[in-house]
Amino acid sequence: MSTPSDTVPTGASPLLSVRGLNVTYGRGRRSAPALCAVNFDLAPGEIVGILGESGSGKSTLALSLLGLLADKAIIEGSIVFQGQELLEARESCWQSIRGARISSIFQDPGLALSPVMRVGDQIAEVIRAHRPSNRKALKQECEAILREVRLPEVERVYNAYPHQLSGGQLHRISIAQALVCRPELIIADEPTRSLDVTVQMEILDVLRSINRKWGSALIFITHNPALLAGFADRVIVMYAGRIVEDGPATRVFRRPLHPYTKGLLQLIPGGSQQENVMQRGRLPAIPGSLTDADRLTQGCIFEPRCSARIALCQEESPTEIAPERGRRVSCFNYGD
């Protein structure tokens, strides 16, 4: 059986290594895990898409990697970043890592931008938090990153307040904040969700350009598989806090192994799987929904919604297998 490290080039060390990550909000036997036994590696410069519906654990994973989980969260396992165990790090250590070595881009720029500060000053604050710099150098760095994210009229944008900019411009400002210290890892949690398709593609193009130019690795979290096609190097599919499939994006999109992945890929507009379903006269959809009772079942957690379930699925939870190098799937009846 292969391990998550099979996704890292031979001889290279992972930039990020996650092992046995469990997160639970609350205590007691009836407390369902938000993350359960999550394992994966991320290579330097790799773009990994984390794909799943709402409630699949994607955002909890992002917050875990940023050390931003709520105090009530119980977290177990290991998160090693560049050889350093992050779950043992103190908050002072996290403050030196966040923004400088690991940065984040969230869905709503309002989470990262103050309405009462000029945009340029807010980007400069990120630099100032991690290293000393004089005002002239700060302005030059901020203007340079605004150009990198392809914002026109850099001087005007630098001196603008957030309310004076469009939604697409604000998302680019949020990206500029995340990139200004040239981090080794960027975590983007649904960063294009509220944007129209054209602007979404522009943002993806900016992120891909930065990845190629600087070599920053990217974890891109989304519920929309169409955003990952032709963008991500690898796709990790999550359901109910578990990784159910992991593999190179081209192979996952061409031949998904898990029934849940197949259902998600039916939702891609114009995709061959969607066209086949539409020819039968119905819109593509995954039946049912995840319930709290499903999270505590002894069998496969996806079984109530699965079109390929067998009797064993009600009795046992599938273990992870590797049907081919670089691919992982948790399913008794994978590929059918």
Side-chain angles (χ1 to χ4, degrees), residues 6 11 15 41 81 114 132 144 151 154 157 212 225 235 282 304:
D6 286 338
L15 176 73
D41 288 337
F81 175 70
S114 167
L151 276 165
V154 165
V157 171
R212 289 172 174 167
V235 175
R282 57 186 174 86

Side-chain angles (χ1 to χ4, degrees), residues 187-204:
I187 300 172
D189 190 358
E190 302 270 14
T192 65
R193 189 166 189 169
S194 61
L195 302 174
D196 64 48
V197 174
T198 300
V199 179
Q200 284 183 343
M201 294 302 105
E202 291 174 355
I203 295 299
L204 291 181

Side-chain angles (χ1 to χ4, degrees), residues 86-163:
L86 297 184
L87 294 189
E88 297 175 357
R90 297 184 177 183
E91 181 56 29
S92 58
C93 179
W94 272 110
Q95 289 175 3
S96 68
I97 292 172
R98 287 191 215 105
R101 298 168 61 197
I102 303 177
S103 66
S104 57
I105 306 167
F106 291 106
Q107 180 184 149
D108 184 359
L111 295 174
L113 297 173
S114 167
V116 297
M117 287 181 65
R118 296 182 190 275
V119 162
D121 292 335
Q122 296 193 59
I123 298 173
E125 282 295 310
V126 179
I127 302 172
R128 195 177 290 115
H130 296 286
R131 53 182 164 82
S133 186
N134 61 54
R135 186 171 183 82
K136 182 179 179 181
L138 281 173
K139 189 172 189 293
Q140 290 174 340
E141 284 192 70
C142 292
E143 290 179 341
I145 197 63
L146 291 175
R147 293 188 188 95
E148 288 285 355
V149 298
R150 303 176 190 174
L151 276 165
E153 303 178 86
V154 165
E155 187 68 26
R156 180 185 68 83
V157 171
Y158 180 91
N159 290 297
Y161 290 95
H163 73 270

Side-chain angles (χ1 to χ4, degrees), residues 218-236:
L218 174 64
I219 294 176
F220 189 92
I221 295 170
T222 183
H223 68 288
N224 183 359
L227 296 179
L228 301 179
F231 174 69
D233 301 315
R234 194 164 113 240
V235 175
I236 293 175

Side-chain angles (χ1 to χ4, degrees), residues 199-214:
V199 179
Q200 284 183 343
M201 294 302 105
E202 291 174 355
I203 295 299
L204 291 181
D205 193 43
V206 168
L207 291 173
R208 172 58 92 179
S209 175
I210 293 296
N211 165 262
R212 289 172 174 167
K213 184 174 182 178
W214 294 351

Side-chain angles (χ1 to χ4, degrees), residues 212-268:
R212 289 172 174 167
K213 184 174 182 178
W214 294 351
S216 299
L218 174 64
I219 294 176
F220 189 92
I221 295 170
T222 183
H223 68 288
N224 183 359
L227 296 179
L228 301 179
F231 174 69
D233 301 315
R234 194 164 113 240
V235 175
I236 293 175
V237 183
M238 295 189 67
Y239 185 76
R242 297 159 170 81
I243 292 177
V244 297
E245 184 165 354
D246 175 10
T250 52
R251 283 193 270 168
V252 170
F253 277 82
R254 186 186 312 119
R255 187 171 62 88
L257 298 178
H258 198 282
Y260 178 60
T261 309
K262 293 180 182 179
L264 291 175
L265 297 188
Q266 286 180 357
L267 308 179
I268 299 178

